[in-house]
């Protein structure tokens, strides 16, 4: 469900509901279980000499959704009026920032289930560690994004801070059971910084992503998966190589699958709603 809803954010305000539902059903029924089984089903990523590590899915869930979102946004095109004829980016402002803020806080709370539940037992030490690292990364992500947006955009930006919270959460998900408190804070801070530059980058290359889903889930999911090989109990060169192999293999498969699927839906059902 998470992998599907990530895609919905990047194609929001212009995709046909029926077309999206067909995509989401097939993507989650076929592509997601296949790549997930490579690690969580005891597949080849788990059987490597140094196994790929992704505790709760920075790559297996979040970047899978992010790759699908990127494919959808590319084939769907931008919202009407997003980019002007002379190439400028026209911001389409959110209609209800308090509601967006409440939504992000609900996600923050839900992530305690997403990561804490991924321990798959009631072990008090491991569950407690996972909840603490999750919360610290989220808080650090908010601070990182707010500070970065203040420097880059000359004012602290609420929407960037909210995406910073999610960036920190996505970033810690791969190694939430491995990290010390300070490592979790660093991972969140870096994710919060990365997400600001990523949102601006995708706008610059004219890929319209209304909620920053690609930046939060694909870019910061990749960062969080790499962070397992840099921080925590599994840090080391061999682990970093395994993380890169996992990121690349899952990413290539997911993007190609999503792109082909959207390419089939586009001429048959149509992707965009009418202008009216």
């Amino acid at each position: 469900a998470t992998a599907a809803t990530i895609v919905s954010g990047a194609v929001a305000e212009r995709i046909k509901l029926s077309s999206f539902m067909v995509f989401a059903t097939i993507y989650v029924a076929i592509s997601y279980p296949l790549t997930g089984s490579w690690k969580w089903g005891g597949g080849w990523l788990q059987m490597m000499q140094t196994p790929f590590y992704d505790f709760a899915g920075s790559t297996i869930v979040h970047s899978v959704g992010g790759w699908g979102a990127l494919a959808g946004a590319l084939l769907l095109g931008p919202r009407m009026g997003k980019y002007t004829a002379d190439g400028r980016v026209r911001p389409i402002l959110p209609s209800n920032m308090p509601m967006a803020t409440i939504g992000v806080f609900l996600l923050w709370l839900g992530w305690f289930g997403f990561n804490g539940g991924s321990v798959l037992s009631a072990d008090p030490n491991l569950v407690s560690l996972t909840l603490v690292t999750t919360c610290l990364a989220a808080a650090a992500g908010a601070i990182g994004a707010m500070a970065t947006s203040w420097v880059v955009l000359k004012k602290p930006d609420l929407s960037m801070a909210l995406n910073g919270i999610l960036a920190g959460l996505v970033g810690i998900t791969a190694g939430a059971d491995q990290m010390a408190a300070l490592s979790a804070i660093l991972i969140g801070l870096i994710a919060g910084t990365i997400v600001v530059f990523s949102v601006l980058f995708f706008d610059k290359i004219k890929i319209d992503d209304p909620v920053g889903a690609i930046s939060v889930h694909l870019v910061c999911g990749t960062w969080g998966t790499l962070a397992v090989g840099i921080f925590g109990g599994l840090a080391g060169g061999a682990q970093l190589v395994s993380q890169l192999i996992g990121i690349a293999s899952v990413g290539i498969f997911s993007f190609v699958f999503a792109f082909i699927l959207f390419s089939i839906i586009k001429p048959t059902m149509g992707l965009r709603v009418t202008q009216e």
Side-chain angles (χ1 to χ4, degrees):
T2 300
T5 55
I6 288 163
V7 181
S8 73
V11 297
E13 301 186 4
R14 62 213 193 275
I15 198 166
K16 288 171 67 175
L17 179 62
S18 57
S19 300
F20 175 75
M21 295 304 289
V22 168
F23 168 82
T25 302
I26 297 171
Y27 194 57
V28 171
I30 300 172
S31 181
Y32 170 77
L34 278 171
T35 53
S37 73
W38 295 349
K39 164 63 183 173
W40 290 341
W44 69 276
L45 286 175
Q46 179 63 27
M47 300 302 289
M48 292 193 300
Q49 188 170 0
T50 303
F52 171 69
Y53 195 83
D54 191 352
F55 170 64
S58 285
T59 284
I60 294 171
V61 177
H62 292 282
S63 78
V64 164
W67 286 114
L70 179 60
L74 282 170
L75 285 168
L76 190 57
R79 290 168 289 174
M80 287 169 56
K82 175 66 177 175
Y83 305 111
T84 61
D86 60 1
R88 288 185 297 113
V89 178
R90 189 176 74 83
I92 300 175
L93 299 176
S95 60
N96 193 329
M97 287 310 298
M99 190 70 80
T101 305
I102 291 167
V104 169
F105 284 147
L106 286 169
L107 282 165
W108 192 336
L109 177 65
W111 232 281
F112 293 129
F114 195 92
N115 283 358
S118 293
V119 173
L120 304 181
S121 76
D123 181 289
N125 292 322
L126 201 51
V127 173
S128 298
L129 173 67
T130 302
L131 298 181
V132 168
T133 57
T134 298
C135 198
L136 288 174
I143 293 167
M146 187 176 73
T148 305
S149 67
W150 207 333
V151 171
V152 175
L153 305 173
K154 309 306 179 198
K155 61 180 180 179
D157 185 281
L158 176 59
S159 64
M160 288 292 193
L162 295 176
N163 268 345
I165 292 170
L166 299 179
L169 289 164
V170 171
I172 197 62
T173 293
D177 64 331
Q178 296 284 329
M179 303 301 168
L182 184 58
S183 298
I185 291 168
L186 286 171
I187 290 167
L189 269 173
I190 294 167
T193 303
I194 290 170
V195 80
V196 175
F197 290 108
S198 179
V199 167
L200 297 174
F201 169 76
F202 282 110
D203 251 354
K204 184 173 282 189
I205 63 172
K206 296 187 170 45
I207 294 176
D208 186 18
D209 180 358
V211 302
I214 300 166
S215 298
V216 168
H217 297 280
L218 169 52
V219 175
C220 293
T222 299
W223 155 243
T225 310
L226 286 174
V228 172
I230 302 170
F231 303 97
L234 297 173
Q239 189 64 53
L240 199 55
V241 171
S242 293
Q243 299 305 97
L244 284 165
I245 292 169
I247 289 163
S249 57
V250 171
I252 292 166
F253 184 94
S254 300
F255 179 76
V256 171
F257 188 99
F259 196 89
I260 291 170
L261 183 52
F262 272 124
S263 297
I264 294 168
I265 293 169
K266 189 172 183 176
T268 52
M269 297 179 66
L271 281 179
R272 285 187 79 103
V273 292
T274 64
Q275 184 169 328
E276 183 184 348

